[in-house]
Amino acid sequence: MPTQPAQRHTTPNILSIAGTDPTGGAGIQADLKSIAAAGGYGMCVVTSLVAQNTQGVREIHTPPQEFLAAQLEAVFDDVEVDAVKIGMLGDAETTATVSRYLAQHPVRHVVVDPVMVATSGDRLLTADAEDALREFVREHATVVTPNLPELAVLTGEEVAQDFNQAIEQGHKFASETGVAVVVKGGHLKEGAASNALVSPDGSVEVAEVPRVDTKNTHGTGCSLSSALAARIALSGDQARALRWTSHWLHEAIATADELNVGQGHGPVNHFHQLRRLAGNASTQPWDLSGTPPDEGAELLAAKIEAAGPHTQALWDRAAAKVWPDTLNLPHIQALRSGELPREEFEFYLLQDAHYLQEYSRALANLSVKAHTPDDQVWWAQSAVVAIEAESDLHHTWFSSHDLDFSGSEVSPITAAYTNFLKAQVALEDYAVGAAAVLPCFWLYAEVGLHLAEANHDAHPYNAWLSMYGGEEFTSDVRTALATVERALEAASPEAREKAADAFMYACYYELEFFDQSSRSGDL
């Protein structure tokens, strides 16, 4: 199929050719939201006006073919189109009109969501319209994103009952047509909701995502295909685009219950990722006060008790906000369930290794300032543990998983955190430096114990969870707490206040350190 030249601008122009949804969850309304969320400029040509809501379709009106052609002309006469997403075509006549137009105006990337069969199994097209759409896919699509019943229709087989069987059907269609197939595991009744890109050459790339227990999944097929079109236009890499789109859509589904749209199957939360990333980019100062967000709210108790009133006061500050926010991070929740994508965990481990190198220097410098020989020895020994014992697991993982630590770069968050710790230790009183390094012991162990509650031998991250939820590490945390308690007891009131601020800064840096892996991919 002839193609247009590669894009010449940063924001790709993505055209959705589909039907409507006046409640905004599916059709071109969902497509435009998804394209925008994925970094494209969305445009739309309407094939059908659909009177539907979250509870179902009521009526469909198909405008004259002349008006459909006029819409297409209006777009292509004026705009360079980088990718097209095809949704509801509805009938054989509409399919033929769009097919003729794309033959005359070829586009580099065409993603087809073949609206043929509802997930309930109900056929949505007549036999001649199905044949026309099947031929349309063969002639124009570069990627097709069927649900499992639609994949069965395309291949002439029974509906797949598991992910492997669905991938085999994808292989069959991709090899016969030269069209890449996205196999969607979300339509299965159990297991993960991962997606697989099955290419015509037989290769398979799986984007792993967990299943979400929610009824609010209206428009997921529309949203995935349109966002995928935008990401393919941005990168030119179908597998990379599917990974981004799968993770974005998972977040949109996971937060769909936050919306309040309709009484049936509601829409997904298309812009949650953008709001989350905007929050991460906020330059508002961190709240160091420790004031609970709700007056009278019960604070979370530490699993490892404070060593005295001073460290208890530190915990109370963190427990008011930072600690609950840390537990609720997508990274922590997915790590606990074992559903954290491998690439995010590997990014986290690489940054952890960079962190440990610099953290050990902060601990070594802190030992110089310690008030007693015993405390000097303990901080120095902790520096050795940080750089040798704990990092040993990371290097073992690196070698067994072919990760190049020497070629990796330290992230801005990791650099900011370690620079903060080294500055506090070098420039401030001993008690301030001791409080600053404490969260890496205490908060890290609290996270480790929280994760260990869900650990088991078959957990994909069992080794990491076992180390940070183990007794050896928690014993070190208790020693650190006792050491910091003594330092604060001996400090002046002014130094204690500065120490509390340093502790809170470090807690926020811990939160950002954990969270950075969830935004380590393409934006």
Side-chain angles (χ1 to χ4, degrees), residues 197-219:
L197 179 75
V198 183
S199 299
D201 63 6
S203 63
V204 179
E205 296 279 348
V206 177
E208 297 180 356
V209 291
R211 185 173 299 277
V212 178
D213 182 17
T214 178
K215 68 181 180 67
N216 295 319
T217 57
H218 180 52

Side-chain angles (χ1 to χ4, degrees), residues 119-120 145-149 151 159-164 166-167 182-196 206-218 220-221 224 242 246 249-250 253:
T119 53
S120 63
T145 63
N147 60 31
L148 295 188
L151 181 57
V159 178
Q161 298 302 305
D162 59 48
F163 199 48
N164 290 333
I167 288 176
V182 172
V183 175
K184 298 185 285 191
H187 295 109
L188 295 168
K189 296 185 183 303
E190 57 185 24
S194 301
N195 298 314
V206 177
E208 297 180 356
V209 291
R211 185 173 299 277
V212 178
D213 182 17
T214 178
K215 68 181 180 67
N216 295 319
T217 57
H218 180 52
T220 51
L224 182 142
L242 182 62
S246 298
L249 185 57
H250 166 72
I253 296 171

